[in-house]
Amino acid sequence: MFSYRHAFHAGNHADVLKHTVLIAALQHLTQKDTALTVFDTHAGAGLYRLDSEFTETSGEAADGVQRLFDVQGLEPALQEYLDLVASFNTGGSHKVYPGSPFISQRLLREQDRLKLFELHPTDTRTLKANIAQLDAGRQIAVLQEDGFEGVKKFLPPPSKRALLLCDPSYELKSDYGRVLDMIGDSLKRFPTGVYAVWYPIIPRPEAHDMPRRLKALATKAGKSWLHAALTVKSSKISLAATGGQRPGLPASGMFLINPPFTVKTALQKALPQMAQLLAQDRNASHLLESGG
């Protein structure tokens, strides 16, 4: 269960979608003075080198964030994402990529809190070392435990304001069910929280059922929802067409329950541009829908 390492995928098209949505949500939520708690159930290592052996082996950042570096006229939400990534680099280089823990921390204020869950022993050590450099004191807690279960004891948070980001690897088929169970339980414990779920769009029934089942959870709880999906290529690429290499992730989605209303507005412009700039074949497309 510890084979997945996000370092192989850092900065790919799924990260572009996920982190653009995360930034848009946090920018809205931090406008109110009341303290905010951010929960990251699968935090990873926090910071990644785009020139590392991991990322250069996969090459996924080249078809993700690296396609955006020299583009002029980006839509505001994409530009804000790119500016935040650039802020972790100096001298115009693009070697460091921030994961969701560091993106969140950069946008939080003194009164806010960040709770990071990571079960992978190597990534937990790296995450703790990276976080230690921030000298953030009690603002950030790194917990080496199962985020699906660990988050329960913190809901609802003292300030009654929170964003929960859940983006497991889904290498274990059981992750799909665990995501749904956790969101259902969290909505009962803390109905007003903002819940953001990333999921891969792959030829697997559980993946295709995910947005439908999340909609059902939101509807049952009487909550609004927002669903954004980005497809960069066909899901029917054969191994022969890729020279025997695994074809990689064709698409992914972000599903939000209780989304800040500004996120949809931001994505209405940014998502079509994202699909255009990150397209790998003529099957590239995007989806944005909402309800509740």
Side-chain angles (χ1 to χ4, degrees):
M1 67 180 292
F2 289 136
S3 62
Y4 177 87
R5 305 291 296 283
H6 190 69
F8 284 108
H9 312 288
N12 69 356
H13 61 84
D15 268 1
V16 176
L17 173 64
K18 174 172 60 180
H19 293 151
T20 298
V21 172
L22 176 63
I23 291 166
L26 285 174
Q27 284 177 332
H28 178 90
L29 291 169
T30 51
Q31 289 178 13
K32 190 174 182 179
D33 289 340
T34 310
L36 177 73
T37 301
V38 174
F39 300 98
D40 195 329
T41 63
H42 295 76
L47 282 175
Y48 306 94
R49 296 282 303 192
L50 295 184
D51 58 351
S52 73
E53 181 182 350
F54 289 118
T55 52
E56 290 191 335
T57 296
S58 70
E60 291 185 24
D63 282 324
V65 65
Q66 290 175 342
R67 286 200 186 184
L68 307 179
F69 287 143
D70 298 318
V71 176
Q72 302 298 315
L74 289 174
E75 293 293 345
L78 263 181
Q79 188 62 58
E80 286 159 7
Y81 157 71
L82 205 60
D83 289 346
L84 194 148
V85 172
S87 72
F88 285 85
N89 294 269
T90 57
S93 71
H94 303 295
K95 295 180 179 179
V96 177
Y97 187 84
S100 49
F102 275 73
I103 287 174
S104 297
Q105 192 279 331
R106 183 61 60 93
L107 294 171
L108 296 186
R109 306 147 309 167
E110 185 178 352
Q111 68 266 37
D112 301 325
R113 295 292 180 264
L114 179 58
K115 298 194 184 298
L116 307 173
F117 299 87
E118 179 53 52
L119 201 53
H120 193 292
T122 304
D123 280 352
T124 302
R125 286 194 298 272
T126 305
L127 178 62
K128 286 181 176 179
N130 286 331
I131 292 296
Q133 297 177 45
L134 293 173
D135 193 25
R138 297 175 60 186
Q139 183 186 46
I140 306 176
V142 179
L143 304 107
Q144 186 176 358
E145 56 185 276
D146 181 348
F148 288 127
E149 292 295 324
V151 74
K152 292 180 179 180
K153 59 179 173 284
F154 295 110
L155 295 178
S159 68
K160 302 297 191 293
R161 297 186 71 234
L163 181 148
L164 184 152
L165 173 65
C166 181
D167 63 335
S169 69
Y170 298 95
E171 280 206 326
L172 295 174
K173 192 165 69 171
S174 59
D175 279 356
Y176 295 92
R178 297 194 73 196
V179 168
L180 293 161
D181 288 344
M182 182 196 69
I183 296 299
D185 179 78
S186 297
L187 280 168
K188 292 174 183 175
R189 294 173 186 267
F190 183 42
T192 57
V194 177
Y195 298 96
V197 174
W198 176 87
Y199 71 99
I201 300 175
I202 54 176
R204 174 177 268 182
E206 296 85 357
H208 286 277
D209 283 346
M210 180 67 86
R212 179 183 61 79
R213 297 184 69 182
L214 286 168
K215 286 175 196 175
L217 279 175
T219 302
K220 182 179 179 181
K223 302 299 179 182
S224 60
W225 56 267
L226 179 69
H227 178 216
L230 174 68
T231 298
V232 299
K233 61 183 177 182
S234 170
S235 62
K236 298 177 181 178
I237 300 172
S238 67
L239 287 176
T242 60
Q245 299 292 316
R246 291 177 64 183
L249 182 68
S252 68
M254 282 288 284
F255 195 100
L256 280 71
I257 297 177
N258 294 326
F261 71 92
T262 50
V263 177
K264 181 178 180 180
T265 304
L267 290 178
Q268 282 173 333
K269 294 183 177 181
L271 199 54
Q273 189 177 49
M274 209 182 290
Q276 176 192 354
L277 294 172
L278 302 182
Q280 295 183 32
D281 66 23
R282 60 185 178 85
N283 295 283
S285 64
H286 67 279
L287 169 73
L288 185 62
E289 56 180 355
S290 60

